[in-house]
């Protein structure tokens, strides 16, 4: 159907004769069908029935141009509720198409469908889409590549080839069972059994070598690799043997190019790198493994690989030598992680908001709930794990989405009292925070923002239970990361370090372990926008909040009307 429509477009353009140049240059509307379904997939020697889109794992790659409109009809033929989120898409005035369940829509029930309709506005580079319901995104995800408009080009030399490299995380179990078990016991969920590149674990795992992903290249080319961290619960280091990477973009914003041997991506983040194939023809591993900053916790310490293969390389049968293996930073190498994140700059001077209307300070971190009477809980101290922002553990509503409740004026679904600063100030990164401060409070609280307000948020990690690097993502917005650092943020001494000239723009910031990051944006997109840690285990525990951005003046500053097929909760 999709190709039929494309063909139709092609023909009608051809018939327009001279006009067709103009038509090709103009924005187009792309139609896609996403059928969410159970699909048998074999990894690590075992077949699991996983949830996929159109039977593909990873799901289909969408390729659009800046300015295009996507119309994606999602049909749910699986046994779980599902929604799809277009991670990083601004969704200007189309919050209804954003996707997080019970935030902007009720889930698509088994047997139901919903059509997401949105326009790409001023974004170029690599984004991705994923399920936003329970832990379905473990297998329901794919790349969303945004090319420049037809009449423009990359701000770097045109690469010979382009390839997405999607890093994922695989359980030798049903991931929904894994999270449900953790929710039942209050303990930490089982760790994953593998990481994957484009859906394949690669040579270092059992039963995996014959399916290792191969990325073909030829000598003397410059190629664009679009790296996406789609893993659920782990930040990842990524490197390529023998090849330096020139970083040119992240989260669908361009960057001032710089060269590095290793990049770090939190879940949700993307990084576009150029590589030049200037090495002796051969086979080179690309590899990813965890950057793990929490203490006293187990994690998946395996390594996923794919192979960069020169076409001119002697064929593997004649060359029994293993591909060349790269070196990766140690799992806890926070120095390597921050050396990378602090190297990011916008390509030139940018317009960072300066007259701040909303000066917010949010703690991000873990916590505990008391174990309900009569139950046993397997979190620390016999309690249940939670997580919070400003001590509020975000609880999703059940009967309406927050956006519906806001739009239709339905009371009792959420409150607007999310605190602008922590309810108690303490030494956030001390290694013995009083146990009295470990208990979080559940709530469905939003923070209201006036249309057009200039927002600054200090995101401060806490050491409660454990300090940890948290990849914090905001829906519906890109933001400037004006500074990051370690310890407690100090407004007296740290404000002077802000980069208000060329800070990087992203949609997800990796807040340093036992540290802080400061972000700024203009609240120019009306709607309800989830902000959360993109480690799914933490969002499960409540490390989230939502902004309610009011309408401004006139149609162009007002949320569109809800689509007629928006799913109902009942
Ligand atoms: Cu990748 Cu709530 O998002």
């Amino acid at each position: 159907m999709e190709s039929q429509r494309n063909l139709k477009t092609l023909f009608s353009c051809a018939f327009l004769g001279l006009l067709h140049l103009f038509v090709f240059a103009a924005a187009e509307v792309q139609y896609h069908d996403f059928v969410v379904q159970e699909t048998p997939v074999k990894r690590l020697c075992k077949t699991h029935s996983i949830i996929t889109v159109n039977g593909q794992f990873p799901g289909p790659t969408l390729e659009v141009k800046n300015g295009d409109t996507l119309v994606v009809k999602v049909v749910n033929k699986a046994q779980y509720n599902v929604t799809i989120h277009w991670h990083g898409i601004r969704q200007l005035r189309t919050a209804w198409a954003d996707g997080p369940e019970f935030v902007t829509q009720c889930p698509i029930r088994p047997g139901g469908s919903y059509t997401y309709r949105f326009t790409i506005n001023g974004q170029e580079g690599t984004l991705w889409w994923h399920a936003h319901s329970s832990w379905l995104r473990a297998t329901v995800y794919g790349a969303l590549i945004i090319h420049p408009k037809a009449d423009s080009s990359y701000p770097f030399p045109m690469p010979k080839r382009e390839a997405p490299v999607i890093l994922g995380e695989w359980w030798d179990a049903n991931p929904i069972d894994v999270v449900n078990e953790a929710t039942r016991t209050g303990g930490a969920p089982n760790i994953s059994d593998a990481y994957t590149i484009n859906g394949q674990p690669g040579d270092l795992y059992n039963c995996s070598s014959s399916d290792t992903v191969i990325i073909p290249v030829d000598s003397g080319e410059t190629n664009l690799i679009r790296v996406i961290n789609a893993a659920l619960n782990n930040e990842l280091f990524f490197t390529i043997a023998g090849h330096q990477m020139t970083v040119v973009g992240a989260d669908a914003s361009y960057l001032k190019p710089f060269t590095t041997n290793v990049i770090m991506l939190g879940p949700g983040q993307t990084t576009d790198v150029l590589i030049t194939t200037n090495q002796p023809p051969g086979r080179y591993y690309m590899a990813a493994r965890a950057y793990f900053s929490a203490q006293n916790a187990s994690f998946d310490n395996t390594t996923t690989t794919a192979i960069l293969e020169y076409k001119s390389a002697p064929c593997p049968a004649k060359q029994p030598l293993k591909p060349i293996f790269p070196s990766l930073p140690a799992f806890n190498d926070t120095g390597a992680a921050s050396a990378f994140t602090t190297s990011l700059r916008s390509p030139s001077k940018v317009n960072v908001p300066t007259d701040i209307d909303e000066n917010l300070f949010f703690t991000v971190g873990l916590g505990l709930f008391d174990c309900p009477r009569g139950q046993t809980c397997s979190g620390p101290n016999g309690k249940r794990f939670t997580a919070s922002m400003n001590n509020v553990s975000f609880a999703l509503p059940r009967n309406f989405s927050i956006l519906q409740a806001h739009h239709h004026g339905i009371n009792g679904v959420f409150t607007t009292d999310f605190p602008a600063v922590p309810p108690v100030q303490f030494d956030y990164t001390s290694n013995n925070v009083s146990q009295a401060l470990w208990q979080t409070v559940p709530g469905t609280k939003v923070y209201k923002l006036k249309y057009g307000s200039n927002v600054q948020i200090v995101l401060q990690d806490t050491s409660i239970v454990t300090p940890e690097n948290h990849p914090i993502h905001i829906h519906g917005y890109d933001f400037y990361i004006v500074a990051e650092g370690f310890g407690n943020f100090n407004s007296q001494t740290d404000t002077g370090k802000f980069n208000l000239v060329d800070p990087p723009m992203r949609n997800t910031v990796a807040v340093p372990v036992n540290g802080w990051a400061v972000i700024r944006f203009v609240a120019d997109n009306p709607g309800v926008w989830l902000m959360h840690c993109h480690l799914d285990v933490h969002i499960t525990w409540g490390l989230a909040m939502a902004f309610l951005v009011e309408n401004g003046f006139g149609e162009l500053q007002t949320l569109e009307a809800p689509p007629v097929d928006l799913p109902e909760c009942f």
Side-chain angles (χ1 to χ4, degrees):
M1 170 132 111
E2 172 198 322
S3 52
Q4 256 173 29
R5 288 192 213 223
N6 285 343
L7 215 62
K8 237 171 143 183
T9 319
L10 199 70
F11 279 125
S12 47
C13 294
F15 282 118
L16 287 174
L18 275 179
L19 258 179
H20 85 264
L21 278 176
F22 169 74
V23 173
F24 274 125
E28 62 178 324
V29 182
Q30 274 195 22
Y31 296 85
H32 297 273
D33 289 304
F34 273 23
V35 179
V36 179
Q37 56 191 267
E38 280 199 26
T39 307
V41 167
K42 189 173 183 185
R43 294 290 184 278
L44 308 179
C45 322
K46 267 201 344 233
T47 301
H48 292 278
S49 183
I50 67 165
I51 307 301
T52 67
V53 165
N54 300 347
Q56 292 171 243
F57 177 68
T61 296
L62 302 180
E63 292 205 47
V64 297
K65 294 190 306 300
N66 181 5
D68 286 354
T69 295
L70 271 167
V71 180
V72 185
K73 180 175 185 187
V74 178
V75 178
N76 185 4
K77 293 195 175 160
Q79 53 165 324
Y80 303 107
N81 289 341
V82 73
T83 66
I84 303 289
H85 168 53
W86 316 92
H87 180 114
I89 296 281
R90 290 284 327 266
Q91 300 287 8
L92 290 167
R93 301 180 53 226
T94 52
W96 305 108
D98 189 44
E101 74 170 354
F102 298 114
V103 177
T104 59
Q105 68 167 97
C106 296
I108 308 168
R109 305 292 181 190
S113 72
Y114 177 49
T115 300
Y116 294 86
R117 215 176 266 275
F118 55 91
T119 298
I120 286 98
N121 201 314
Q123 300 185 285
E124 290 178 17
T126 306
L127 293 175
W128 60 302
W129 54 266
H130 62 78
H132 213 299
S133 177
S134 182
W135 277 20
L136 276 186
R137 80 169 178 86
T139 58
V140 180
Y141 62 84
L144 201 176
I145 293 167
I146 310 169
H147 294 284
K149 295 187 177 182
D151 58 356
S152 72
S153 58
Y154 298 129
F156 44 82
M158 187 67 184
K160 187 77 199 291
R161 308 161 199 266
E162 300 188 2
V165 165
I166 316 177
L167 310 174
E169 189 168 5
W170 181 266
W171 276 260
D172 197 11
N174 178 345
I176 304 299
D177 294 345
V178 173
V179 64
N180 287 347
E181 175 65 8
T183 301
R184 194 182 64 77
T185 65
N190 288 344
I191 60 171
S192 55
D193 298 284
Y195 300 106
T196 55
I197 293 181
N198 295 348
Q200 292 293 345
D203 286 359
L204 306 186
Y205 298 88
N206 289 336
C207 310
S208 302
S209 356
S210 59
D211 294 315
T212 299
V213 167
I214 295 195
I215 304 208
V217 294
D218 220 339
S219 293
E221 299 172 343
T222 295
N223 296 321
L224 175 61
I225 310 274
R226 301 169 179 275
V227 190
I228 299 167
N229 186 350
L232 253 74
N233 293 328
N234 285 279
E235 305 187 299
L236 296 167
F237 287 120
F238 173 84
T239 185
I240 307 174
H243 294 76
Q244 292 229 303
M245 294 177 276
T246 301
V247 177
V248 292
D251 298 3
S253 290
Y254 292 116
L255 292 171
K256 185 172 293 174
F258 70 97
T259 300
T260 178
N261 288 315
V262 63
I263 62 176
M264 190 282 287
L265 303 96
Q269 293 184 317
T270 74
T271 305
D272 288 358
V273 301
L274 295 174
I275 55 164
T276 301
T277 49
N278 53 9
Q279 294 301 300
R283 304 166 78 227
Y284 298 84
Y285 274 123
M286 38 181 71
R289 73 175 187 189
Y291 161 50
F292 192 74
S293 59
Q295 290 163 7
N296 306 318
S298 56
F299 66 99
D300 179 347
N301 61 5
T302 62
T303 304
T304 180
T305 54
I307 298 169
L308 191 73
E309 183 171 272
Y310 284 60
K311 281 197 268 175
S312 41
C315 60
K318 289 186 193 147
Q319 187 201 41
L321 288 176
K322 282 235 157 220
I324 296 159
F325 202 83
S327 68
L328 277 151
F331 295 115
N332 62 356
D333 194 343
T334 291
S338 70
F340 172 69
T341 55
T342 57
S343 300
L344 274 54
R345 298 274 183 283
S346 279
S348 54
K349 185 171 168 17
V350 287
N351 255 332
V352 185
T354 46
D355 295 320
I356 300 299
D357 303 300
E358 296 278 359
N359 204 336
L360 308 176
F361 188 106
F362 293 176
T363 58
V364 296
L366 303 188
L368 297 176
F369 279 157
D370 283 335
C371 194
R373 261 171 203 267
Q375 282 182 28
T376 42
C377 295
S378 47
N381 312 339
K383 299 190 177 196
R384 293 182 63 86
F385 266 115
T386 63
S388 76
M389 286 186 166
N390 278 354
N391 213 45
V392 183
S393 287
F394 190 71
L396 290 170
R398 307 222 148 260
N399 298 332
F400 296 96
S401 71
I402 300 176
L403 187 62
Q404 282 172 300
H406 161 59
H407 191 74
H408 299 292
I410 301 159
N411 290 323
V413 177
F414 64 88
T415 55
T416 56
D417 54 347
F418 187 86
V421 293
V424 179
Q425 290 176 32
F426 56 97
D427 179 359
Y428 306 109
T429 50
S430 142
N431 52 22
N432 59 5
V433 175
S434 156
Q435 295 267 340
L437 294 166
W438 288 34
Q439 189 89 14
T440 67
V441 180
T444 308
K445 296 179 188 296
V446 306
Y447 191 88
K448 256 196 193 180
L449 292 173
K450 286 228 158 28
Y451 183 94
S453 49
N454 290 339
V455 183
Q456 170 175 299
I457 314 174
V458 176
L459 295 162
Q460 172 72 58
D461 184 34
T462 77
S463 57
I464 291 174
V465 184
T466 174
E468 187 165 0
N469 185 303
H470 294 281
I472 303 295
H473 171 49
I474 308 188
H475 286 228
Y477 285 90
D478 286 327
F479 48 76
Y480 290 113
I481 305 172
V482 298
E484 61 173 76
F486 294 99
N488 298 333
F489 175 76
N490 180 328
S491 58
Q492 305 299 310
T493 54
D494 289 326
T495 309
K497 301 174 194 157
F498 287 3
N499 176 1
L500 301 179
V501 178
D502 59 357
M505 179 179 258
R506 302 203 74 158
N507 61 52
T508 305
V509 55
V511 177
V513 51
N514 253 331
W516 49 269
V518 182
I519 62 173
R520 288 188 179 185
F521 61 97
V522 180
D524 59 359
N525 190 10
V528 173
W529 305 105
L530 191 62
M531 171 159 90
H532 64 90
C533 178
H534 217 288
L535 303 172
D536 269 25
V537 54
H538 292 174
I539 188 174
T540 304
W541 292 340
L543 215 173
M545 57 80 68
F547 287 107
L548 192 167
V549 181
E550 295 173 329
N551 288 331
F553 295 107
E555 198 190 338
L556 293 179
Q557 300 182 356
T558 299
L559 176 69
E560 289 182 358
V564 287
D565 62 340
L566 188 73
E568 297 288 333
C569 274
F570 302 101

